[in-house]
């Protein structure tokens, strides 16, 4: 079940104080969850096999929920998450 492995890797990459100090991180929304929170949710994989190899295009949806008016907190969290995931994937 490699999609779960991807979800675990995302969770490990973003479970740092710069995120957890601002928002909870869940793979489901507990009834008692307080906003803001980050959900690592739906994912999918599309196979793209060739004669010489096998591969998958994978998509994982990360949703940020906040109660505050405006989008400043959401955009701040989004920026942090993008930086963390890009570094973890070796893009930077």
């Amino acid at each position: 079940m490699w999609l779960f492995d991807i979800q675990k890797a995302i969770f490990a990459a973003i479970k740092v104080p710069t995120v957890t100090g601002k928002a909870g991180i869940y793979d489901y929304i507990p009834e008692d969850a307080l906003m803001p929170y980050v959900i690592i949710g739906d994912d999918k994989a599309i196979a793209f096999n060739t004669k010489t190899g096998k591969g998958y295009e994978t998509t994982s949806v990360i949703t940020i929920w906040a109660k505050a008016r405006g989008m400043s907190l959401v955009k701040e969290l989004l920026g942090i998450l993008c930086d963390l995931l890009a570094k973890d994937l070796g893009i930077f």
Side-chain angles (χ1 to χ4, degrees):
M1 179 174 241
W2 53 273
L3 285 174
F4 185 59
D5 293 334
I6 293 171
Q7 181 176 339
K8 289 190 297 187
I10 291 170
F11 185 82
I14 67 174
K15 190 179 178 185
V16 296
T18 54
V19 177
T20 58
K22 298 178 187 303
I25 305 171
Y26 306 104
D27 61 352
Y28 69 97
I29 305 169
E31 287 185 33
D32 60 345
L34 300 174
M35 288 187 190
Y37 49 79
V38 176
I39 303 294
I40 305 171
D42 299 333
D43 49 31
K44 67 178 178 179
I46 300 170
F48 60 87
N49 301 328
T50 66
K51 291 180 182 179
T52 59
K54 186 176 182 178
Y56 294 91
E57 175 184 332
T58 59
T59 303
S60 293
V61 177
I62 299 174
T63 308
I64 302 169
W65 290 88
K67 221 175 204 180
R69 289 186 168 261
M71 296 293 287
S72 62
L73 178 59
V74 170
K75 289 184 180 188
E76 178 185 356
L77 284 167
L78 180 59
I80 293 168
L81 296 178
C82 287
D83 287 344
L84 290 169
L85 292 171
K87 288 176 185 169
D88 192 71
L89 297 173
I91 296 171
F92 292 103

